[in-house]
Structures are given as C-alpha cells and as structure tokens.
C-alpha cells in the first residue's frame, strides 16, 4: 500500500496570505489527524477528521481549519498567516477498529515558511 | 501542552552500544507509541504498546510500559549510525470524555546520536 502523501512539500508565503495543505491517507484509513511541529512547541495536535466529520480539535485559533472529502483525503487551511505559523505540518492516517484507534501513520510533512 | 517528558533530551553513544530512552506521561492511556524522526522529516512509526501490555519487542527494539508509574522506555540494542534521529513517545488517551479522537500527545523527544 502507498503511504500517506502530503502536498506541497515546501511552501513560502507572506504574512496575511492564506494557505491550503493537502493530505492523502493510506487506502482504507478513514481517520486523518493534523499536527503542527515547531522547535519551541514541539508536536501539537490540530484536529482530526473521520468520515468527513471533525471529531476533535486542538487549541489553535479559528484561522486554522480543515475538511475531509468522501474519499478520506483531507485539507487544512490557514488564513491570515502570521510569522509564528512557520512550521512543519504533518498529517497522519489511521484505522479505527472496535472503537479503538490503531497506529497513526505519518506523511512526510509540508514545511511552511511565512515571511 | 505536552503530555509528558522524555529523558534524556540528548544521548550520544558509539556504534554497537545500547541506547535507552524514557518517557513519562500524566493521564491514563489506551496505548503508547514510539516514533523516529530524521532531520525534520515525517515521523516513522516504531512500535505500539497497549495499556494492558508490559513489554514488546520488534527487531532491535524493546519497549516497556509501566502504567502504575506512567512511564515507558525504549531500548535500541546494538545501535548503528543509521539510528541517529529524534525519538518521540506519543500517548493516546482514548475517548475519555469523548475529547481525544485521533489525538496523540507527544513528548519533546530524545535526540540520539550514534557515532561510527
């Protein structure tokens, strides 16, 4: 099976712009989670989608949003970019069996630089 | 905020030596996972241990879990230069209060350097 893919891999934006990142999960995985990784804060959970529904959300401002499509592909959007949004954005997909989350498999990430 | 802490923050060893990393967490968990990350790339899954398990092995990796102490350790035996990476533990608190769907909480990681 193909792994989790993320596009684009690198992105440079300026303050005030918006950005959309894409994630394609492993075939058959309906849960997609998004994380932000920065040197100062480490890995922090953004949100999780399952069957097109957001089930969980981390402590991030409303500028961070996401969605999931019927084929389980997911996008996240950051509006009105700030310098502090510069980070590695990682998505992960997983199976849920018997109401229990299995292993999360991560994509290679999208590195966003905000100037 | 991070679930817990990893210890040590950095570890430097010679090839062939064993490397041990520890992870502590704060809340009850469903499972704990260990990941490796090379130079800011994606996370590679190493091993998952469930809350009712005490020890798991995978190749040169051995993971223990002590839920009474809320701690876990990762042992890499016979380290190789290719094991140089950051290692993270991540906890899945399950659906406590229905708020933990799809959320892993990560430690700050241990930077392992294996010298040839």
């Amino acid at each position: 099976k193909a792994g989790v893919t993320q596009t684009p891999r690198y992105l440079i934006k300026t303050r005030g712009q918006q950005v959309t990142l894409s994630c394609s999960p492993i075939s058959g995985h309906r849960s997609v989670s998004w994380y932000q990784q920065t040197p100062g804060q480490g890995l922090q959970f953004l949100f999780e989608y399952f069957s097109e529904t957001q089930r969980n959300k981390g402590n991030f401002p409303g500028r961070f949003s996401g969605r999931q499509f019927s084929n389980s592909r997911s996008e996240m959007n950051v509006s009105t970019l700030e310098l502090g949004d510069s980070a590695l954005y990682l998505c992960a997909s997983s199976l849920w069996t018997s109401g229990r989350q299995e292993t999360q498999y991560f994509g290679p990430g999208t590195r966003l630089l905000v100037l | 905020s991070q679930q817990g802490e990893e210890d040590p923050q950095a570890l430097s060893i010679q090839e062939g030596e064993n490397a041990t990393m520890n992870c502590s967490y704060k809340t009850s968990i469903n499972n704990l996972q260990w990941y490796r990350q090379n130079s800011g790339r994606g996370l590679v899954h190493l091993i998952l241990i469930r809350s009712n398990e005490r020890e798991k092995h995978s190749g040169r990796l051995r993971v223990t879990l002590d839920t009474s102490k809320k701690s876990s350790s990762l042992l890499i035996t016979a380290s190789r230069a290719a094991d140089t990476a950051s290692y993270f533990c991540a906890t899945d608190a399950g659906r406590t209060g229905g708020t933990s769907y799809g959320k892993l909480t990560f430690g700050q990681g241990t930077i392992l350097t294996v010298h040839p």
Side-chain angles (χ1 to χ4, degrees):
Chain A
K1 278 186 181 179
V4 178
T5 58
Q6 291 186 246
T7 57
R9 293 293 310 278
Y10 303 92
L11 210 47
I12 300 175
K13 293 284 187 180
T14 56
R15 279 181 297 175
Q17 288 186 310
Q18 74 165 16
V19 67
T20 299
L21 311 181
S22 181
C23 172
S24 293
I26 292 171
S27 177
H29 288 192
R30 294 162 64 188
S31 172
V32 174
S33 298
W34 287 89
Y35 297 85
Q36 181 197 64
Q37 185 178 26
T38 60
Q41 298 298 316
L43 281 148
Q44 294 192 298
F45 172 78
L46 281 156
F47 30 64
E48 187 257 10
Y49 286 87
F50 184 89
S51 292
E52 302 179 65
T53 300
Q54 185 184 89
R55 297 193 300 183
N56 202 0
K57 189 176 190 304
N59 188 26
F60 279 82
R63 300 185 297 106
F64 291 82
S65 63
R67 59 178 176 168
Q68 186 179 36
F69 302 94
S70 58
N71 62 357
S72 294
R73 187 177 70 86
S74 178
E75 289 181 347
M76 68 162 282
N77 183 274
V78 189
S79 62
T80 319
L81 284 165
E82 301 177 359
L83 295 179
D85 296 333
S86 295
L88 181 67
Y89 290 88
L90 294 160
C91 81
S93 73
S94 66
L95 289 168
W96 278 72
T97 56
S98 303
R100 192 171 66 177
Q101 181 177 256
E102 303 296 336
T103 299
Q104 284 194 9
Y105 294 94
F106 283 78
T110 294
R111 186 164 294 281
L112 171 64
L113 177 61
V114 182
L115 302 176
Chain B
S1 63
Q2 300 300 314
Q3 161 75 294
E5 297 179 359
E6 294 186 53
D7 169 54
Q9 291 187 340
L11 182 59
S12 182
I13 60 174
Q14 297 292 320
E15 258 189 333
E17 296 181 337
N18 295 341
T20 300
M21 289 160 264
N22 303 295
C23 166
S24 62
Y25 56 92
K26 297 175 182 173
T27 66
S28 60
I29 61 172
N30 276 348
N31 64 59
L32 184 146
Q33 304 181 50
W34 285 89
Y35 288 88
R36 183 186 75 224
Q37 185 177 41
N38 292 83
S39 299
R41 298 179 184 176
L43 298 168
V44 174
H45 182 260
L46 296 176
I47 201 162
L48 179 152
I49 186 166
R50 301 203 184 275
S51 59
N52 61 351
E53 297 175 314
R54 292 296 168 258
E55 187 171 314
K56 263 188 122 167
H57 296 257
S58 177
R60 296 184 294 114
L61 306 180
R62 172 179 170 250
V63 168
T64 61
L65 179 64
D66 186 334
T67 52
S68 66
K69 296 181 179 178
K70 292 186 169 58
S71 67
S72 175
S73 68
L74 169 68
L75 168 67
I76 303 174
T77 60
S79 295
R80 306 166 182 168
D83 294 329
T84 295
S86 294
Y87 290 81
F88 295 90
C89 68
T91 52
D92 171 12
R95 293 190 287 168
T96 304
T99 60
S100 294
Y101 286 110
K103 176 181 178 180
L104 292 180
T105 304
F106 286 84
Q108 290 287 1
T110 293
I111 300 172
L112 172 66
T113 303
V114 182
H115 300 280

